[in-house]
């Protein structure tokens, strides 16, 4: 199990993509679906294998926070593409 999956599953998150951002049969924007967080995006759950395959093919970096300054668990994360000029 990868650090990304450990981090996400430790927060009961599910691998997901944002509906409507797909590229043909390829996943669009990658997200984690955290229980209790509605958010504005419509998420579709996908398998961890599909999520990680897309993550790896895009060469993304996983940036995350373990805990907030008050010591409580944080759900903050960002997926960064180091190849983007505006990143």
């Amino acid at each position: 199990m990868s650090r990304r999956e450990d981090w996400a599953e430790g927060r009961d998150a599910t691998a997901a993509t944002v509906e409507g951002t797909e590229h043909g049969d390829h996943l669009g924007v990658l997200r984690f679906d955290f229980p209790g967080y509605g958010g504005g995006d419509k998420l579709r759950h996908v398998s961890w294998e599909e999520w990680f395959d897309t993550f790896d093919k895009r060469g993304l970096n996983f940036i995350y926070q373990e805990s907030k300054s008050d010591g409580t668990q944080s759900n903050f994360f960002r997926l960064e593409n180091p190849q983007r000029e505006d990143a």
Side-chain angles (χ1 to χ4, degrees):
M1 190 176 292
S2 74
R3 184 116 170 104
R4 298 163 295 205
E5 190 172 1
D6 283 344
W7 183 89
E9 286 189 341
R11 288 152 175 80
D12 295 325
T14 304
T17 187
V18 177
E19 286 187 348
T21 63
E22 299 86 359
H23 307 281
D25 61 348
H26 301 288
L27 295 184
V29 176
L30 298 177
R31 291 283 187 262
F32 294 125
D33 187 6
F34 296 99
Y37 289 84
D41 296 330
K42 292 188 177 191
L43 301 179
R44 177 176 62 87
H45 292 173
V46 297
S47 71
W48 283 113
E49 182 179 342
E50 189 176 17
W51 195 96
F52 284 118
D53 184 53
T54 301
F55 179 95
D56 292 339
K57 284 181 181 174
R58 293 181 184 164
L60 300 175
N61 291 325
F62 177 60
I63 299 165
Y64 62 96
Q65 181 181 30
E66 284 290 343
S67 57
K68 299 176 189 176
S69 60
D70 66 4
T72 60
Q73 189 177 58
S74 174
N75 288 350
F76 173 80
F77 77 97
R78 184 173 71 219
L79 302 178
E80 181 178 87
N81 183 340
Q83 304 303 317
R84 285 184 50 171
E85 292 182 20
D86 62 343

